[in-house]
Amino acid sequence: MAGHFEATPGGGAAVALDEVEIAILRSLAVQLLELIGPGDEPAEGEDPLAALFAEGPSEPPTDPALARLFPEAYGDEDDELRAASSEFRRFTENDLRTRKREDALVVVRTLDALTPAGDDAAVLTLTADECRSWLGSLNDLRLTIGTRLEVSDEDDGEEGSLYRLPDSDPRKPMVMAYLWLGALQETLVETLMK
């Protein structure tokens, strides 16, 4: 189980994580929450139903990582597609941000509930719903880190150029996190498909 997810009864999954792995995952999830931004809670006395129908932004984010997490729905090749994307974003981005925040919060809360014993790894056991949240957050983290690292579809297979970075490259820790998150994500998907 060390380092990869395994199925548990009821459609869940479990993985053994040591103290360092827990700290890294938690830190990345918190950074993702900060990137996505706080939710808009209804002000005291405000109708909570009105918040459900609040319109979101109509312009794509300027931060490349946020633009990757909240992409254009129809592209921006012409004015008509830009207008359709803008309209789609206006009515969907708030909900998408809420879901991504909720997924990241599940990661933080499940990690906070772990207590590794000394040098031993703690076993993180997730329910089926928590697995879906973890899968969403692992994907969001990889998209964000991949954007920051400028990983593209043109990179030679399995992030080949990333494997060849010298240890002195300042991107090396993020590359290692990117690859590790990919392995976690892959084993979680395989587990859920069983």
Side-chain angles (χ1 to χ4, degrees):
M1 178 183 304
H4 63 275
F5 280 96
E6 292 182 8
T8 61
V15 64
L17 299 169
D18 65 30
E19 212 170 315
V20 172
E21 293 168 328
I22 293 167
I24 291 169
L25 283 166
R26 189 182 190 291
S27 174
L28 290 172
V30 168
Q31 290 177 56
L32 180 63
L33 284 165
E34 291 170 355
L35 178 67
I36 293 169
D40 294 328
E41 296 295 321
E44 191 167 325
E46 184 181 348
D47 180 7
L49 287 177
L52 289 174
F53 297 103
E55 293 182 6
S58 59
E59 295 298 317
T62 55
D63 181 316
L66 282 174
R68 185 72 177 103
L69 291 175
F70 306 104
E72 291 286 24
Y74 304 109
D76 61 356
E77 290 79 38
D78 61 39
D79 289 340
E80 192 173 307
L81 288 177
R82 267 191 298 279
S85 283
S86 176
E87 194 74 1
F88 184 80
R89 179 179 301 283
R90 221 173 89 218
F91 293 109
T92 61
E93 187 170 313
N94 285 345
D95 288 340
L96 186 55
R97 280 181 184 267
T98 297
R99 185 180 57 76
K100 289 180 180 298
R101 261 192 304 277
E102 289 170 355
D103 287 348
L105 280 170
V106 167
V107 170
V108 171
R109 288 179 183 138
T110 55
L111 290 171
D112 284 350
L114 288 178
T115 51
D119 291 339
D120 294 335
V123 176
L124 173 69
T125 303
L126 303 173
T127 65
D129 286 340
E130 289 169 338
C131 285
R132 285 186 282 282
S133 292
W134 266 76
L135 197 52
S137 264
L138 288 172
N139 187 60
D140 290 343
L141 288 168
R142 279 185 44 85
L143 287 173
T144 301
I145 294 170
T147 301
R148 296 287 191 239
L149 291 171
E150 298 179 348
V151 173
S152 69
D153 294 336
E154 290 79 42
D155 288 340
D156 45 322
E158 293 295 312
E159 295 88 25
S161 61
L162 295 179
Y163 284 117
R164 293 188 294 274
L165 284 178
D167 289 341
S168 61
D169 192 306
R171 298 173 298 165
K172 186 76 171 200
M174 288 311 296
V175 167
M176 298 306 296
Y178 176 78
L179 296 171
W180 175 56
L181 291 169
L184 279 176
Q185 184 180 17
E186 183 178 340
T187 62
L188 184 53
V189 167
E190 289 170 358
T191 298
L192 295 176
M193 292 177 59
K194 289 181 182 179

